[in-house]
Structure formats: C-alpha cells, structure tokens
Amino acid sequence: MRNVYLVQVNNTFGDNCFLPYSVGLIQAYCQSLDWVNKEYCFKELIYLRERPDAIVERMENPDVVGFSCYIWNWEFNKVLAKKVRESYPGCLIVFGGPHVPKVPVTTMLQESTPNYVDVVVHHEGEVAFSKTLLDRCRRISNDGQLSSFRMSDLSMLPSPYLTGIFDSMLDAPYRFHASQETHRGCPYFCSFCDWGSAVMTKVRAFDGDRLICELVWMGQNKIELLYNCDANYGLLPRDFELTKAMVSVKEQYGYPQTFRAAYAKNSNQKILDISRVVYRAGMSKGTTLSFQSLDSHTLKEIKRSNIKMGDFKSLLAIYRQEGIPTYTELILGLPGETYESFTSGIEQLFDA
C-alpha cells in the first residue's frame, strides 16, 4: 500500500495544542472511499512544530504528502516540503489551504515553491485531494493546479472526531483545543477576507445532530477550548440552540471549558442572546463587535457595511451592564485608509 502523510502544523502554547481539524477532514473523507482504503495507508498526522529533519527521518517511504497552509506555517511547510523532496524524490507533494496564492500554478511553482510542490489545491480540499490520490493510482500526471468543486451537500464529509481520526493522538501530553465548523460560506464580500471570494458566498450548513455529537465527543475527551470556525457564528437561527447544547455538554462533562467564535458581522440581539448563554456558563472569550474601519471611503473600497455607531453604543452599554466582555477589531492599512482616518476611527471607538 502507498503511504500518505498529512501536515497541518500549528504553534503550541505551553501545553495547549490544536487538533489538526483541516487535514482530519481530508483523511476522514478519503477513508470513507473503499478504493482509497485498498490503495493507501494514512500514517500519523504531522501537527507539531518539530525540527523538519526529525519529521522526515520518521516518515516511512511516503508516496503522497499533503500540506495545509496558512500564514503561521507557510515558511515551515516550504522547508519541510523541500526536505521531503530531497529524501524521497518520487513523492507527490500537494499544497492546499487559504495561504496558497491564487495565481497561475506555473508562477507559484516557479517563484514560491520551486522544485518541491507538484500539485496546488484551491478552495475546499477534501474531494480534490481524493482525486489527486486517484490520479496517482492511475498513473495520470496531475502536476499543477487542481481546483476543487464547490460542495453543495456537506453531509458527504464524515466528521474526523466521530470517525476516530484523532483518537490515537489524545494520549499525547497536551491539553487539546478543537475547531468546529457548523456551516461553510459567507454572504458578505469584504475584499480583505479569506471568505470574500464570490465562489464561497452561499452558506451551507452541517447536520445539527452531527454537530451535537461532536460537542459530546469534545466533552468526553476533555477539550479545553472550542474554536468555532464559521465566518459568522450566530447567523443561522439554530445557532442559539447549538450554543445551549454546548453549554449542556459542559455541565455534564466539565468540557469544553471555553468557547471562541467569529460572531456575525453586524452584531444584533441574536448575538447578544448567544453571548449571554456563553458568558453565564463561564465559557466566554469575548464577543466581537468589529468595524475593521470607520472611514466611509475605506468601507466602500473594501465592500463592507458596519453596524451603526448609535446601535454599537446601545449594544455596548448592554454588554457592559451584564458584565459580558467584548472586543473591537480595526485593520491597519486597508485600501483608502489614511493615518488621519485611522486615528479618527480609534477616537470614535474610545468615545463610544
């Protein structure tokens, strides 16, 4: 059988460590296909920032190595991929994830990752990676860009938590954090955002029963922090009930202990209701009341509309009255922003 390694390296914070959710999804989907299980053996998930030489020395004749790339591991992944190529010249190396440049593949391979990346995947990677494995079996050359099709039905993706992908990792000496998507996509078009591509705008939801089962798994396996990966948690009506289900799991098992989310962009009563439930359960890491910019010209440039300042002041007063922590984000250096407009925005926030 051919050996497959999946790499999603993150930082550790003391003894806190994130489970590699993205590559876990890829492995769970691929192993749901009978032909994959006949041809390929998935080896250990690479998720710790170890010395690259040590990682390669531990590998057993890799046939395919897939890398999940983001800003915090991009340079590390390039070093590790290069060392894999040097030790295993015939290995197929696949790069995917949000950090992979949206440029012609020949440009990316020549300028960014010369000689050690064979396939580039854009957008959702689960099906695309399985197609890469299939082409590899059939000896079809798939060097170059491979863009996945957009999944309309997320039920085709098994849960890496519920299929046991991470079970063998839980004996490691870490307090694990977990990521969870309740839906994919974003209805907004903010130009600066990973979710801003028009191809990803329609929101598609995961099954509610699956999500609750994942929450129970996290409670039973003592997941300290649950990081919600939705673009807009609280956007869907069911999110309030999901939040209450999460709190019920904590009441039963003591975990997850804390919860963090990117809340729906234009904060409203729904977000306040969810924030109350999370705060009263002692799980709050703060509610986002974000602006990105308060300059009208900049907002037009980045295709974003903000919550009205009067509504923001009213909401902030309620959050403070109830003791619920909040935070506000501004992005430095957006198109159209000037030093004067940026500092003016900060002053408006302080005044509020």
Side-chain angles (χ1 to χ4, degrees), residues 100-155:
V100 174
K102 302 297 190 295
V103 296
V105 67
T106 52
T107 302
M108 187 244 175
L109 296 181
Q110 290 173 3
E111 297 180 2
S112 300
T113 56
N115 303 321
Y116 50 85
V117 174
D118 303 303
V119 177
V120 176
V121 177
H122 292 156
H123 308 308
E124 292 166 305
E126 295 90 356
V127 175
F129 191 78
S130 72
K131 289 183 175 180
T132 301
L133 297 182
L134 183 61
D135 288 346
R136 182 77 162 169
C137 285
R138 294 175 173 175
R139 301 182 184 276
I140 297 173
S141 174
N142 51 13
D143 291 358
Q145 181 171 339
L146 177 63
S147 295
S148 73
F149 71 93
R150 184 176 175 277
M151 285 176 284
S152 59
D153 180 10
L154 297 182
S155 66

Side-chain angles (χ1 to χ4, degrees), residues 29-79:
Y29 174 73
C30 289
Q31 290 186 319
S32 72
L33 307 173
D34 289 341
W35 66 263
V36 171
N37 295 318
K38 293 177 182 177
E39 297 287 342
Y40 290 97
C41 175
F42 281 81
K43 309 296 282 188
E44 63 169 302
L45 294 171
I46 307 298
Y47 67 101
L48 296 174
R49 191 177 291 270
E50 303 175 77
R51 188 169 55 83
D53 285 335
I55 295 174
V56 175
E57 289 169 6
R58 202 166 64 241
M59 287 181 169
E60 301 174 17
N61 193 28
D63 187 67
V64 181
V65 180
F67 291 79
S68 176
C69 302
Y70 220 152
I71 187 170
W72 50 77
N73 63 23
W74 177 246
E75 296 301 328
F76 181 93
N77 282 352
K78 290 196 293 184
V79 171

Side-chain angles (χ1 to χ4, degrees), residues 4 15 26 32 60 91 98 105-106 111 125 144 153 163 168 192-193 247 269-270 274-275 287 290 318 327 335 337 339:
V4 180
D15 62 350
I26 291 174
S32 72
E60 301 174 17
C91 178
V105 67
T106 52
E111 297 180 2
D153 180 10
T163 53
S168 63
F192 57 82
C193 184
V247 169
Q269 185 65 42
K270 288 193 300 181
I274 290 173
S275 298
T287 299
S290 290
I318 296 172
Y327 62 95
E337 194 82 81
Y339 175 84

